[in-house]
Amino acid sequence: MAFLKLYRDKLKHNFDFLHELFTKNNLDWGAVTKLFCGNELYLREVINLGFREIHDSRISNLQKVKAIDSTVKTCYIKPPAKRSIKDVVMYADMSMNTEYYTLKLLSEEAVRQEKIHKAIIMVETGDLREGVMGDHLIDFYAKVFELPNIEIVGIGTNLNCLHGVMPSQDKLIQLSLYKQIIELKFNRKIPLVSGGTSVTIPLIMNKQIPQGVNHFRIGETLYFGANLFEETTIEGMHDDCLELFTEIIEITQKPKVPMGEMAANPQGMMTEIDESLYGQTSFRAILDIGVLDIDPKYLILDDYDFEVVGSSSDMIVIDLGDNTANRKVGDLINFKLKYMGALGILNSNYIEKTVE
């Protein structure tokens, strides 16, 4: 049976690496846990690292964080939907917002719950996902500062998540300037300038974070050691905190070319036939995992002596060639994963999750 394993020591190593980086640069940071899809076993591992601030895009996941440790500060990292307002106020200490209407609803609900709800206002800096346009910021803050039971604690931005626009020193300077303008205009302090996610870490390492930017939301680099500027692993970090183990459920020597009249497969794809392979055979293995759990393109195959030749909803087929490694039914084949592959596995109820 396929299963996912989290290596506690490797995760701790990555945490220590990043904690030192942020501490020596006098920066605050929190862990983004949306990758774990609310898996309580893995959420506990992250909290036990010492994080006092957890960020997630699903309110049910933040509810689980609060159940594990009610003292951890929780942040909802996308603009809340109208129908989730009550739960956002109940389980998120802070949320990221772009709409006055939504903040007004949060204010009304916070009054009902007798809570102060904190908010970071997200600003558009070029990637065209969430964010208030810069020329609307003054009017926006003028209105939201007046809302009861809402404490505006920050200004933030998000880059690279939609169109791939990369963060830069200039964009972060712009964000810091917005903060200064708002503080001067309204004589109010904005304690947090949230400069972005894992994609900004190379800027921190290169001392390119402008003064005033002091807060970051980190997920992918914590779990995969990723340098998202260069699509490499940061030297000194682990890229295999998570590892997928799959079991071989069949090995048979078969023709390399399918036989019979061809049509589209269930994914709507037509198989291209390489006529030079007619008459050739190889050992094919079936793995007990399929596209229901992960798209094979998110498996990291760099170091393997086989290739993925196809997949269906519940099985992946690999070509072992002559099977010189003498693999057999029941053997495990383990894979490192790309971020989106790990996300699919963690969102699957069919894959066991373990910690070592």
Side-chain angles (χ1 to χ4, degrees), residues 98 122-126 128 131-138 140 178:
T98 60
M122 300 299 283
V123 182
E124 179 58 65
T125 56
L128 302 183
V132 179
M133 297 301 293
D135 53 358
H136 297 160
L137 268 182
I138 296 299
F140 189 88
Y178 283 144

Side-chain angles (χ1 to χ4, degrees), residues 244-283:
L244 174 65
F245 289 80
T246 64
E247 185 175 325
I248 296 174
I249 56 176
E250 175 188 302
I251 291 184
T252 305
Q253 190 171 12
K254 295 185 178 183
K256 285 195 169 188
V257 178
M259 300 162 288
E261 185 176 347
M262 303 295 293
N265 67 15
Q267 289 83 47
M269 305 293 291
M270 291 291 296
T271 300
E272 294 184 7
I273 301 299
D274 183 349
E275 294 183 359
S276 68
L277 298 177
Y278 277 119
Q280 296 184 35
T281 63
S282 63
F283 285 90

Side-chain angles (χ1 to χ4, degrees), residues 6-37:
L6 172 68
Y7 294 101
R8 181 183 290 124
D9 58 340
K10 293 179 180 180
L11 181 62
K12 177 66 162 58
H13 175 91
N14 281 2
F15 168 79
D16 290 340
F17 182 100
L18 291 173
H19 187 64
E20 180 181 357
L21 175 67
F22 283 102
T23 299
K24 73 181 182 182
N25 286 283
N26 297 312
L27 300 171
D28 292 328
W29 67 304
V32 178
T33 56
K34 62 182 181 179
L35 174 71
F36 294 143
C37 299

Side-chain angles (χ1 to χ4, degrees), residues 121-125 137 155-158 169-182 192-196 210 212-213 215 217:
I121 307 305
M122 300 299 283
V123 182
E124 179 58 65
T125 56
L137 268 182
I155 187 170
T157 193
N158 186 79
Q169 193 172 32
D170 287 346
K171 288 186 180 296
L172 294 181
I173 288 172
Q174 180 185 17
L175 186 66
S176 185
L177 287 174
Y178 283 144
K179 176 248 194 187
Q180 295 174 42
I181 291 168
I182 292 162
L192 297 179
V193 180
S194 193
V213 178
H215 180 267
R217 300 100 57 192

Side-chain angles (χ1 to χ4, degrees), residues 138 180-188:
I138 296 299
Q180 295 174 42
I181 291 168
I182 292 162
E183 286 185 334
L184 289 171
K185 174 71 175 177
F186 297 102
N187 194 28
R188 302 278 289 267

Side-chain angles (χ1 to χ4, degrees), residues 109-338:
E109 183 60 35
V111 170
R112 281 190 288 271
Q113 294 189 28
E114 299 181 344
K115 287 185 174 182
I116 300 297
H117 185 75
K118 298 179 179 181
I120 292 177
I121 307 305
M122 300 299 283
V123 182
E124 179 58 65
T125 56
D127 200 44
L128 302 183
R129 201 178 71 172
E130 79 277 23
V132 179
M133 297 301 293
D135 53 358
H136 297 160
L137 268 182
I138 296 299
D139 290 342
F140 189 88
Y141 272 90
K143 292 191 296 183
V144 298
F145 273 140
E146 299 302 316
L147 291 172
N149 292 53
I150 295 292
E151 182 183 355
I152 306 299
V153 297
I155 187 170
T157 193
N158 186 79
L159 289 160
N160 189 244
C161 284
L162 184 61
H163 291 294
V165 175
M166 300 300 281
S168 66
Q169 193 172 32
D170 287 346
K171 288 186 180 296
L172 294 181
I173 288 172
Q174 180 185 17
L175 186 66
S176 185
L177 287 174
Y178 283 144
K179 176 248 194 187
Q180 295 174 42
I181 291 168
I182 292 162
E183 286 185 334
L184 289 171
K185 174 71 175 177
F186 297 102
N187 194 28
R188 302 278 289 267
K189 283 295 181 183
I190 305 291
L192 297 179
V193 180
S194 193
T197 59
S198 290
V199 73
T200 56
I201 286 177
L203 297 181
I204 300 172
M205 298 180 75
N206 292 326
K207 305 292 185 182
Q208 293 179 306
I209 299 299
Q211 187 174 3
V213 178
N214 59 6
H215 180 267
F216 294 88
R217 300 100 57 192
I218 305 300
E220 188 165 354
T221 300
L222 175 63
Y223 311 124
F224 297 94
N227 179 331
L228 297 176
F229 263 79
E230 300 178 358
E231 296 186 357
T232 59
T233 302
I234 294 172
E235 185 177 354
M237 298 194 76
H238 289 290
D239 63 355
D240 56 351
C241 295
L242 291 163
E243 196 168 26
L244 174 65
F245 289 80
T246 64
E247 185 175 325
I248 296 174
I249 56 176
E250 175 188 302
I251 291 184
T252 305
Q253 190 171 12
K254 295 185 178 183
K256 285 195 169 188
V257 178
M259 300 162 288
E261 185 176 347
M262 303 295 293
N265 67 15
Q267 289 83 47
M269 305 293 291
M270 291 291 296
T271 300
E272 294 184 7
I273 301 299
D274 183 349
E275 294 183 359
S276 68
L277 298 177
Y278 277 119
Q280 296 184 35
T281 63
S282 63
F283 285 90
R284 289 192 166 210
I286 299 177
L287 307 179
D288 65 331
I289 194 167
V291 293
L292 181 64
D293 312 293
I294 187 171
D295 188 320
K297 70 183 180 183
Y298 297 126
L299 299 171
I300 296 176
L301 303 170
D302 298 343
D303 299 325
Y304 291 100
D305 59 350
F306 58 78
E307 61 178 7
V308 174
V309 295
S311 58
S312 59
S313 59
D314 298 301
M315 290 179 274
I316 292 175
V317 178
I318 60 175
D319 189 328
L320 299 173
D322 295 330
N323 193 22
T324 54
N326 195 31
R327 293 185 176 92
K328 56 187 181 299
V329 170
D331 284 353
L332 293 175
I333 295 181
N334 55 306
F335 298 95
K336 291 193 294 185
L337 301 168
K338 298 177 183 179

Side-chain angles (χ1 to χ4, degrees), residues 24-167:
K24 73 181 182 182
N25 286 283
N26 297 312
L27 300 171
D28 292 328
W29 67 304
V32 178
T33 56
K34 62 182 181 179
L35 174 71
F36 294 143
C37 299
N39 183 281
E40 293 182 39
L41 179 65
Y42 287 4
L43 287 175
R44 286 183 185 276
E45 292 297 325
V46 174
I47 293 170
N48 288 341
L49 291 171
F51 280 107
R52 305 315 301 159
E53 183 175 300
I54 297 293
H55 300 249
D56 210 297
S57 57
R58 309 288 176 174
I59 196 62
S60 59
N61 298 346
L62 294 180
Q63 181 179 358
K64 291 178 180 179
V65 170
K66 283 295 189 184
I68 293 168
D69 186 343
S70 62
T71 68
V72 172
K73 183 165 71 173
T74 52
C75 180
Y76 188 69
I77 56 172
K78 67 179 181 182
K82 177 180 177 180
R83 289 163 183 80
S84 67
I85 293 295
K86 180 177 180 180
D87 286 341
V88 169
V89 174
M90 185 171 296
Y91 300 115
D93 300 303
M94 181 167 63
S95 60
M96 296 183 172
N97 287 271
T98 60
E99 289 285 345
Y100 174 74
Y101 174 72
T102 303
L103 279 160
K104 188 171 183 295
L105 294 178
L106 288 168
S107 168
E108 293 167 356
E109 183 60 35
V111 170
R112 281 190 288 271
Q113 294 189 28
E114 299 181 344
K115 287 185 174 182
I116 300 297
H117 185 75
K118 298 179 179 181
I120 292 177
I121 307 305
M122 300 299 283
V123 182
E124 179 58 65
T125 56
D127 200 44
L128 302 183
R129 201 178 71 172
E130 79 277 23
V132 179
M133 297 301 293
D135 53 358
H136 297 160
L137 268 182
I138 296 299
D139 290 342
F140 189 88
Y141 272 90
K143 292 191 296 183
V144 298
F145 273 140
E146 299 302 316
L147 291 172
N149 292 53
I150 295 292
E151 182 183 355
I152 306 299
V153 297
I155 187 170
T157 193
N158 186 79
L159 289 160
N160 189 244
C161 284
L162 184 61
H163 291 294
V165 175
M166 300 300 281

